[in-house]
Amino acid sequence: MSTSPSLSLRPRPRRRFIAAAVAVALTAGTLAALAPVTSASAASYPSWSDVQKAKASKSAQQAKVSEIKALIADLTTKAAAAQASAQAAGTAYQTAQTKYDDATLTQQKLQSQADEAEKTAAASEAQAGQLAAQLGRASANDVTTDILTHPSKSGDLLYELGAMSKLSEQADGIYSQASQDRGVAQGLADKATLAKDALGELAGAAQQKMQAAQTAADSAQSAVEAQNDNQARLQAQLTLLTSNAANVEAKYNKGVQVEKARQAAIAAAAAKAAATTVGGTGGGSPNSSGWVRPAGGYQTSPFGYRVDPYTHYRALHAGVDLAPACYAPIYAAHSGTVTFAANGGGYGNEVVLDNGGGISTAYGHIVDGGILVSVGQHVEAGQQIAKIGSTGWSTGCHLHFETRVGGSAVDPVPFMAARGISV
């Protein structure tokens, strides 16, 4: 891209949610619940008192059962459709980004070849110019004059004339080579220029797809949150209508608290596992250049073309992989503004930061529910922005870290080294 990725989306609080809905059942008096009722959902869905009243008559009860079943089906359908749309939009963004990255490297290669060809052409033209000057100093007219004025030396002079003939033949070859070298240089320069012109359109497409992916991800998040906030309660209300179970509401509320405790225990275990990171640490206070290592762990895959371990096709790996542990923290490598925080197709859940000065950084394969920032938010270097995962085209928990200058992917190892950070 011609500029670092930046989106003009309005900041939106990112509410945390559980990726998949928990099945709700009342068996042996036990209720598994997902999330508490929100004030918004209470205003849009049946209340517990509505359900109790519906039990007063069979017709009202059947109508309420049908209503609740329809609501559950609608929540499930909308959430699934929104998630599928977000996945498709993320894949389209990743495809456009990869196409731009490939084209950028091709253009850079053409430009390098054009620069080398220009040096060769300039050298050939300089050689031809030197030969022209030599021929000018010893022209055929001078030799003819010498033959007329010094007939006794005509043998030597005729030899000189033959030598000049050979020199002229050599000159023709040098001139021809100079012309050919200039043609090659110009052809490569033209190709490099055309390739560079095409980058603008590819960058625009990638930017557009990126914004569409963010919008789709926000819609999917809202749909899944609506499902999580309401489906467990609706299932419990359905149980109240269709069984003789007692204290259903109380058991539902108790189930909510149990689920909260379970999620807290999972988070604590993940944090403990992340603390065992080996192979270097991440985060901390920024150095004098304002940069930090984005995560702990060893580097497991470098920048460049490779056979992708997930797709098994040769493709550009536009960043480096760092593998500390699942759920380990991911830190902002430099201060900046969040321009993307959503599903990025093969990147999995991804965060992109605009770090200013045409520089941007990207963080991929974040665990589901592990994005801790939202679009438009300003973050500081060393601030935790996400958690390590294995989403997208990934074969194990790790961070895919990218550095971009003017939108173009550059190898993070020398880029970070120049700023005093080893990855």
Side-chain angles (χ1 to χ4, degrees):
M1 300 178 187
S2 56
T3 59
S4 58
S6 59
L7 299 178
S8 57
L9 302 178
R10 290 190 299 176
R12 172 182 182 274
R14 178 168 292 276
R15 296 168 288 171
R16 306 292 170 257
F17 65 92
I18 302 172
V22 177
V24 179
L26 278 172
T27 56
T30 301
L31 174 64
L34 177 64
V37 181
T38 64
S39 58
S41 65
S44 306
Y45 294 88
S47 67
W48 287 100
S49 60
D50 291 337
V51 173
Q52 287 285 6
K53 290 176 184 177
K55 295 189 74 173
S57 73
K58 190 162 186 173
S59 60
Q61 182 177 354
Q62 288 299 321
K64 189 60 68 177
V65 166
S66 297
E67 177 189 350
I68 291 176
K69 285 184 176 179
L71 287 169
I72 291 172
D74 184 59
L75 283 170
T76 302
T77 299
K78 286 181 177 178
Q83 287 178 306
S85 178
Q87 179 64 44
T91 298
Y93 152 58
Q94 180 232 347
T95 299
Q97 183 68 72
T98 299
K99 188 174 182 180
Y100 170 77
D101 289 340
D102 284 335
T104 298
L105 290 185
T106 297
Q107 190 276 332
Q108 290 172 349
K109 184 177 180 180
L110 281 171
Q111 188 60 59
S112 178
Q113 291 173 342
D115 292 343
E116 287 300 315
E118 173 63 31
K119 292 179 183 177
T120 300
S124 295
E125 289 168 347
Q127 185 180 8
Q130 291 171 356
L131 186 57
Q134 184 178 351
L135 286 172
R137 287 193 299 270
S139 65
N141 287 335
D142 292 335
V143 173
T144 303
T145 301
D146 283 345
I147 292 174
L148 295 174
T149 58
H150 302 90
S152 61
K153 296 181 180 180
S154 59
D156 293 338
L157 294 173
L158 288 173
Y159 173 80
E160 182 180 345
L161 186 60
M164 284 194 62
S165 178
K166 292 289 185 181
L167 189 61
S168 297
E169 291 176 9
Q170 182 182 359
D172 289 341
I174 291 175
Y175 291 145
S176 176
Q177 184 63 50
S179 178
Q180 182 179 342
D181 290 342
R182 173 52 59 193
V184 169
Q186 188 60 54
L188 287 169
D190 290 344
K191 287 182 179 180
T193 299
L194 288 174
K196 188 173 183 178
D197 291 343
L199 289 179
E201 184 176 345
L202 292 173
Q207 184 77 0
Q208 183 181 30
K209 298 295 184 184
M210 184 184 190
Q211 184 168 350
Q214 182 68 60
T215 301
D218 288 343
S219 296
Q221 180 180 321
S222 296
V224 171
E225 285 175 352
Q227 182 185 38
N228 290 345
D229 287 348
N230 296 290
Q231 185 163 337
R233 187 185 74 263
L234 289 171
Q235 289 281 12
Q237 291 174 339
L238 193 59
T239 298
L240 178 61
L241 284 167
T242 57
S243 73
N244 294 320
N247 302 319
V248 175
E249 183 177 1
K251 290 172 182 175
Y252 166 78
N253 290 329
K254 182 179 179 180
V256 169
Q257 298 305 315
V258 169
E259 177 63 17
K260 283 184 176 179
R262 188 179 75 85
Q263 291 298 324
I266 291 174
K272 184 177 180 180
T276 62
T277 294
V278 295
T281 58
S285 299
N287 65 9
S288 59
S289 297
W291 290 80
V292 304
R293 200 172 196 263
Y298 293 111
Q299 183 189 143
T300 56
S301 187
F303 178 93
Y305 281 93
R306 65 172 186 176
V307 175
D308 191 286
Y310 186 88
T311 65
H312 305 295
Y313 289 103
R314 186 175 184 275
L316 173 66
H317 186 234
V320 296
D321 292 343
L322 300 175
C326 296
Y327 303 101
I330 298 171
Y331 305 100
H334 189 72
S335 62
T337 302
V338 180
T339 58
F340 184 77
N343 181 287
Y347 291 115
N349 298 319
E350 182 188 30
V351 169
V352 178
L353 302 180
D354 180 349
N355 303 108
I359 295 173
S360 62
T361 49
Y363 313 76
H365 304 312
I366 297 166
V367 69
D368 284 331
I371 293 178
L372 307 180
V373 292
S374 58
V375 169
Q377 179 179 343
H378 178 80
V379 298
E380 298 295 336
Q383 177 180 334
Q384 184 178 357
I385 58 175
K387 299 177 184 178
I388 297 285
S390 186
T391 55
W393 292 357
S394 171
T395 57
C397 288
H398 70 280
L399 165 66
H400 173 79
F401 176 61
E402 292 185 357
T403 50
R404 294 177 176 274
V405 178
S408 299
V410 297
D411 189 342
V413 173
F415 176 91
M416 295 294 284
R419 290 155 179 80
I421 301 296
S422 173
V423 293

